[in-house]
Amino acid sequence: MGTELIRVHVKEENDDIPSVPPGFESFAAFNLQRVQDGEKQESNATSCSATASASESQSVKMDTEFEDEAKVTRSLRHRPWIKYEDFNLSLRPRLPKGVVRGCPQCSNCQKVMVGTATTYLAALPKGGFVSARWHPESAHKPEIEDAPVFYPTEEEFEDTLKYIDSIRPKAEQYGICRIVPPSSWKPPCPLKEKTIWEGSTFATRVQRVDKLQNRDSMRKMSTMSNHTRKKRRKCMRIAVDCGTDSGSISGSNDAGVCEAERFGFEPGPLFTLDTFQKYADDFKAQYFRKNENTINKGGDMTMFQKTCEPTLDNIEGEYWRIVEKATEEIEVLYGADLETGVFGSGFPKTSNEVSSTTNDRYTKSGWNLNNFPRLPGSILSFESGDISGVLVPWLYIGMCFSSFCWHVEDHHLYSLNYMHWGAQKMWYGVPGKDAIKLEETMRKHLPDLFEEQPDLLHKLVTQLSPNILRSEGVPVYRCVQNSGEFVLTFPRAYHSGFNCGFNCAEAVNVAPVDWLPHGQTAIELYCEQRRRTSISHDKLLLGAAREAVRAHWELNLLKRNTLDNLRWKDVCGKNGMLAIAFKERVETERVRRQFLCTSSPTLKMESDFDATSERECSVCLFDLHLSAAGCHCSPDKFACLTHAKQLCSCAWGAKFFLFRYDISELNILLEALEGKLSAVYRWARLDLGLALTNQIALEEEKKPPEGSPSKDVRASSVAHSSFQVIERDNDNFEAKPKRPGFRET
C-alpha cells in the first residue's frame, strides 16, 4: 500500500481589522527582556512620551526555510504597551531540529549534537546532523501482552496453507502471530550477492517520527496560517512603525504554512544496501550514546560520550516517547514498498540463483513468498495479473525508528512477512473483530485529522499509542520478529510497528477460502468510501467456485482423490465456507437484478469484458465482473446495479444490463457446490466443457500394455456407474443405457 503526499494551497484572504489590535494591552507596563547566547540583556522600562528614548542596535537574522533574506540592522525602540511575545502564532511549540541530512556534496550524511556540543561522524562527510538525545528516564513502553508464537515441525511445515489453517483458531484471536520455521529451513538470500549489495540502489522515504501522532490537520493549519499571515503583516507594520526589527517577531517565517504544505512521507535519497547499512548503524550508535563525566588527576572534570547498545525495551520505550511526547524533531529513512520485480527478491526464484541444487527446495517451497499468493487453495490463484504488493512481494529495508503505521491489508487479505536479516522488527496487532473499535478510537483522539481526511487510515501515516487504544478497550498485542522468522496477520486485523535497526524484510498477501466473507465486507466498505479496488472479488469467487466443481467432477466421476481435489471438497457442501460465501453473493445479486432490471433489456456479457482492463462503476468504483449497467450515450462508461440510475440522465428505458451469468445459471453452480451431482455434471458440461466420453477416450489412450493392471478401465467403469446416479437424480435427463457416456451435441 502506498502513501500519498498531502498538500494544501493557501489562498490569501482580505485583512479584517479587529476592534482590538493583536498584541496590545492597555495601561500595563512591563520590562521586555531578551535572552540570547546564554546572556540576559536587560532593558529599562520607558514611558510613552514625545521625547526621544534610549535605543540599542541589534543584528537579527531572518531565517526561513524557503527564502534567503539579508541581515538587517534597525533601531529597536521598545514600547511597554506592546506585548511582543504574543506574536508567536504557531499552532504547536516548534521542536528543535533533531536530524538534518545532507550537505553540498551528498544527501545522506549526518552529525550528532548533544545539547550545544557538536560531534561529527568520523566516517561521514560534514553536513547533516542528529541533535536528538536518548531519554531513558522518560520511556513510554506500552504495557501489553505478547501475541502467540508457533513452532511447526518439519512435517507440518511442508504444507503452508494447511499449517496456517491449523493455527488459525488460536492465532486469529490476536490478529497477529509469529511463526518460527524448523531449524533446518535456511533459504539463501540473493540480495546478499555483492553485485546487488553494493551495486543496486533503492529509493527511501523521509519519516518524521514525532509527527506520526501529534500533528495538526492541514485544513486547520491552512486556516491558522491565513490568520497568522494577517497578524504578521499588521505586526510587521507595527514593528516598522515602532522601529522594531520584523525578523525578531516569532512566527514571521511561514513555518506553519510550509509544514502544512509538505507533511507526508516525502522521497528521500537513493542508497545501496551497503551505504544504507552504514547510515542506519551510525544513526543508531549516535542516538543511543550516553554522556559520562570523568575526573582526571588534576581534578578537572571531562565529559565524554559512551556508545551504548540499547535493549529491545530501551528502543521500544524511546520510540513511543518520541511519538507521544517528542522533545526534538526526529527524521528517519525507510526503504518501503520496494518492488521485488525491479530490485529483486530475497528468496530465490530459479535454481540458478542458488549455489547448490540441494537448495532447489527453496525455489519451490510454499513459504517462498514468490510462490505463496498462488498456492493451491488460495483464492488469489484465480487472479491473472501480477499485482505489485499483493501477488508480487514487496521489500522493506529499515533503520531504527522507521515505521509502518496502523492499517489493514488491501481487501482485508492475510499477509505474511519474512525477515531476511537484521535487527528486530516490533509489531502491534489488533484482532479483526475489534477493527471498528480501533477506528472509532482513532477518530475520537484525532478528530481534526479524520474530519479533514476520512480515509486517513488508508494512507499509512498515522500512529496511535497502544496505551491509548487499551484505555479505550481496544485489545493490542505485541509481536517481536527476529531474523529468519515469519509474521502472519489475519483478515481485517489492524497492525503497525517499527524497526529496531538496519534490517530487510519481504511481504506479500494470500487468500485462503476462509478469507471470502472478509473480502466481501471489504468491497462493500470500498463501495461506501468510493475507494478503488485492487482485485476483482467476484472474479476470484467465481474462479474458486468453478475450480471446486471441477474437483467435484473428478472426485465423483473419475475417482481422482488428489490432494488439491480433496482440499476443494473440504470447503464445499451446504455448510462449506465456499458454498456459504457463494450463496450469499448470489442472493445479493438476485435481489438487485429483480429490483432494477425488469423493464430494461439484458445482454450476455462478453467473456473478455474486463480481460484487458478492469471495469468499474463510474460512481462508486465497484468491480463489474459479474454484472454492469450501461447506456448507448456512453459506450465505455458503466455503473454497478446499485448506481445504474446515476449513470447518466437518459431515460431508464435507454439503459441496458450486462450479465456474465443469469440467475438460473448461478443457481446451478450453487447446487453443484452444495453437492448435487446432477448440477455438478451440468455445470461441468455446459461451462467447463467437460464430458465423460472425452475423458474415457483420453484414459483409453493412456491404457497400459495388455496383461498389466488397468486402473484406467476401472476408472471408466466407476465413472459410468456414477453417472447413472446423476441421471436418476436429474429429471431433465433421460436414461440412455446403450451409450457408455453421455454428451449432448
Side-chain angles (χ1 to χ4, degrees):
M1 186 179 292
T3 59
E4 297 180 7
L5 297 182
I6 306 169
R7 302 194 177 275
V8 177
H9 298 280
V10 180
K11 183 179 180 181
E12 287 284 353
E13 298 178 2
N14 296 328
D15 289 349
D16 297 324
I17 301 176
S19 57
V20 179
F24 281 72
E25 184 177 89
S26 299
F27 304 115
F30 63 96
N31 292 336
L32 182 66
Q33 297 181 342
R34 178 168 183 164
V35 178
Q36 185 173 1
D37 296 331
E39 298 179 359
K40 293 184 178 180
Q41 297 181 1
E42 299 182 357
S43 60
N44 295 326
T46 60
S47 61
C48 177
S49 64
T51 61
S53 61
S55 63
E56 93 183 297
S57 296
Q58 298 184 17
S59 289
V60 182
K61 179 181 179 181
M62 295 182 65
D63 183 14
T64 68
E65 195 169 343
F66 300 95
E67 299 181 42
D68 290 325
E69 296 182 11
K71 291 183 179 179
V72 293
T73 303
R74 293 174 183 264
S75 174
L76 304 184
R77 185 169 57 193
H78 297 288
R79 299 189 178 187
W81 59 88
I82 301 177
K83 300 182 71 178
Y84 292 94
E85 70 273 15
D86 283 356
F87 292 113
N88 185 351
L89 303 174
S90 59
L91 294 175
R92 295 178 184 269
R94 192 166 180 85
L95 300 176
K97 202 76 171 175
V99 178
V100 176
R101 289 177 295 103
C103 65
Q105 287 75 36
C106 70
S107 60
N108 58 0
C109 55
Q110 56 187 351
K111 66 181 178 182
V112 176
M113 291 177 59
V114 181
T116 57
T118 303
T119 303
Y120 290 92
L121 296 181
L124 294 175
K126 191 172 172 179
F129 61 88
V130 178
S131 62
R133 184 174 63 86
W134 178 27
H135 297 268
E137 71 284 354
S138 303
H140 281 217
K141 183 177 182 293
E143 297 297 328
I144 56 178
E145 294 181 34
D146 290 334
V149 184
F150 297 92
Y151 299 86
T153 64
E154 295 278 359
E155 182 180 356
E156 291 172 330
F157 201 68
E158 287 299 315
D159 192 326
T160 308
L161 293 187
K162 183 178 179 181
Y163 181 73
I164 289 174
D165 186 60
S166 72
I167 65 174
R168 179 170 64 88
K170 179 180 179 180
E172 193 169 18
Q173 303 174 44
Y174 297 84
I176 190 171
C177 71
R178 179 160 56 104
I179 300 174
V180 180
S183 58
S184 64
W185 201 78
K186 299 184 182 299
C189 184
L191 298 178
K192 293 184 178 180
E193 297 292 333
K194 186 175 181 180
T195 53
I196 297 178
W197 187 268
E198 298 180 358
S200 297
T201 60
F202 61 90
T204 58
R205 295 174 182 169
V206 180
Q207 293 184 329
R208 279 282 302 277
V209 183
D210 58 289
K211 289 291 185 181
L212 295 180
Q213 177 175 304
N214 295 317
R215 66 177 185 271
D216 291 300
S217 69
M218 303 300 106
R219 185 179 300 164
K220 182 177 179 181
M221 293 184 74
S222 173
T223 302
M224 291 297 294
S225 295
N226 286 337
H227 190 52
T228 300
R229 285 178 174 179
K230 292 186 292 183
K231 285 189 175 184
R232 187 173 64 252
R233 287 196 296 270
K234 295 184 182 72
C235 176
M236 292 178 72
R237 294 193 202 108
I238 295 168
V240 172
D241 181 59
C242 296
T244 302
D245 181 7
S246 60
S248 66
I249 300 170
S250 175
S252 64
N253 61 356
D254 278 337
V257 180
C258 298
E259 186 172 314
E261 291 179 351
R262 72 172 185 263
F263 180 78
F265 294 166
E266 298 180 346
L270 296 177
F271 285 89
T272 63
L273 289 168
D274 183 58
T275 57
F276 191 76
Q277 180 182 21
K278 293 175 182 176
Y279 182 87
D281 289 348
D282 284 328
F283 171 88
K284 185 175 180 180
Q286 295 296 323
Y287 189 93
F288 286 98
R289 282 193 173 186
K290 284 185 176 180
N291 294 333
E292 293 193 2
N293 297 325
T294 60
I295 300 177
N296 59 23
K297 294 181 179 180
D300 296 328
M301 180 178 291
T302 303
M303 185 183 74
F304 69 96
Q305 292 182 337
K306 178 182 178 181
T307 301
C308 175
E309 182 60 34
T311 65
L312 189 64
D313 287 349
N314 292 151
I315 298 172
E316 185 181 22
E318 179 66 6
Y319 175 82
W320 288 111
R321 182 198 70 80
I322 297 169
V323 172
E324 296 185 67
K325 293 184 178 180
T327 52
E328 304 94 358
E329 293 181 2
I330 304 298
E331 178 187 283
V332 296
L333 302 176
Y334 198 10
D337 301 346
L338 304 177
E339 297 187 29
T340 55
V342 177
F343 187 80
S345 171
F347 288 99
K349 294 183 180 180
T350 58
S351 298
N352 58 11
E353 286 186 280
V354 295
S355 57
S356 172
T357 55
T358 59
N359 289 325
D360 189 55
R361 61 179 289 210
Y362 298 113
T363 66
K364 298 177 180 179
S365 171
W367 297 94
N368 182 325
L369 297 192
N370 297 293
N371 307 326
F372 184 63
R374 289 192 169 99
L375 289 175
S378 171
I379 307 298
L380 288 179
S381 60
F382 302 104
E383 172 57 57
S384 57
D386 287 334
I387 303 171
S388 184
V390 177
L391 286 149
V392 179
W394 274 348
L395 279 176
Y396 298 87
I397 303 171
M399 63 178 288
C400 190
F401 301 146
S402 59
S403 310
F404 49 105
C405 298
W406 287 111
H407 70 287
V408 294
E409 297 299 308
D410 286 355
H411 291 265
H412 300 172
L413 291 161
Y414 283 77
S415 75
L416 189 66
N417 183 294
Y418 179 77
M419 184 181 290
H420 291 291
W421 72 75
Q424 292 159 310
K425 187 186 292 281
M426 184 71 69
W427 295 73
Y428 304 95
V430 172
K433 63 182 178 60
D434 296 295
I436 294 176
K437 194 181 294 185
L438 177 141
E439 293 166 359
E440 291 173 347
T441 300
M442 293 196 71
R443 289 189 177 93
K444 175 182 176 180
H445 287 267
L446 305 170
D448 292 340
L449 299 182
F450 278 90
E451 181 183 358
E452 173 185 75
Q453 198 170 13
D455 63 344
L456 181 65
L457 286 171
H458 299 159
K459 307 301 179 184
L460 281 79
V461 293
T462 307
Q463 288 284 47
L464 191 66
S465 167
N467 285 333
I468 295 176
L469 291 172
R470 288 186 70 249
S471 70
E472 297 289 346
V474 181
V476 185
Y477 301 96
R478 178 193 291 108
C479 185
V480 181
Q481 183 184 20
N482 300 293
S483 177
E485 297 177 351
F486 291 95
V487 166
L488 178 70
T489 69
F490 288 84
R492 210 182 181 182
Y494 272 95
H495 49 281
S496 70
F498 64 93
N499 298 293
C500 297
F502 175 64
N503 60 22
C504 176
E506 189 167 344
V508 79
N509 296 117
V510 75
V513 175
D514 64 85
W515 161 81
L516 283 170
H518 302 284
Q520 184 64 43
T521 300
I523 60 171
E524 291 169 1
L525 287 173
Y526 286 8
C527 183
E528 294 175 6
Q529 299 164 355
R530 305 295 194 263
R531 181 182 175 188
R532 181 166 280 108
T533 60
S534 303
I535 54 178
S536 170
H537 184 85
D538 284 342
K539 181 195 290 185
L540 300 184
L541 180 60
L542 281 170
R546 296 173 77 242
E547 185 63 24
V549 172
R550 180 189 295 273
H552 263 302
W553 190 81
E554 292 187 356
L555 280 169
N556 290 291
L557 304 180
L558 301 180
K559 298 302 180 184
R560 290 180 179 167
N561 297 323
T562 64
L563 183 62
D564 289 346
N565 286 344
L566 293 173
R567 195 192 304 270
W568 287 113
K569 180 184 178 182
D570 291 341
V571 297
C572 292
K574 289 192 175 182
N575 296 321
M577 288 182 288
L578 177 57
I580 292 173
F582 192 80
K583 183 176 183 178
E584 292 177 354
R585 181 66 185 94
V586 171
E587 179 60 19
T588 302
E589 187 72 8
R590 184 192 65 78
V591 171
R592 289 174 179 170
R593 293 187 188 185
Q594 186 178 21
F595 180 73
L596 293 170
C597 312
T598 54
S599 60
S600 298
T602 60
L603 304 172
K604 182 73 172 177
M605 182 184 287
E606 296 292 337
S607 60
D608 61 350
F609 175 69
D610 57 350
T612 56
S613 61
E614 291 184 6
R615 300 281 190 172
E616 58 189 17
C617 175
S618 59
V619 179
C620 69
L621 305 180
F622 187 81
D623 175 71
L624 303 178
H625 181 77
L626 190 57
S627 58
C631 184
H632 296 291
C633 72
S634 305
D636 296 324
K637 185 179 178 182
F638 299 93
C640 66
L641 300 186
T642 303
H643 296 107
K645 293 182 179 179
Q646 298 171 241
L647 176 63
C648 62
S649 59
C650 297
W652 184 253
K655 294 180 173 61
F656 60 87
F657 295 91
L658 300 174
F659 301 140
R660 189 171 294 274
Y661 297 106
D662 61 38
I663 294 297
S664 63
E665 291 172 323
L666 293 175
N667 282 332
I668 295 173
L669 180 52
L670 176 58
E671 290 177 350
L673 292 176
E674 291 178 338
K676 189 174 181 179
L677 290 178
S678 60
V680 171
Y681 173 74
R682 290 184 66 188
W683 188 266
R685 177 174 56 83
L686 297 175
D687 185 79
L688 303 178
L690 299 175
L692 286 177
T693 51
N694 288 346
Q695 289 298 318
I696 293 171
L698 290 173
E699 300 290 354
E700 290 291 339
E701 291 177 3
K702 300 176 182 178
K703 186 182 297 185
E706 284 189 31
S708 61
S710 176
K711 61 181 179 181
D712 296 324
V713 173
R714 291 195 298 272
S716 298
S717 176
V718 170
H720 175 67
S721 61
S722 299
F723 185 63
Q724 300 302 315
V725 176
I726 293 177
E727 290 197 308
R728 287 195 298 270
D729 195 40
N730 185 2
D731 296 334
N732 296 326
F733 290 97
E734 298 178 1
K736 301 177 182 178
K738 291 184 179 180
R739 298 171 61 185
F742 292 83
R743 179 182 61 180
E744 289 194 3
T745 58

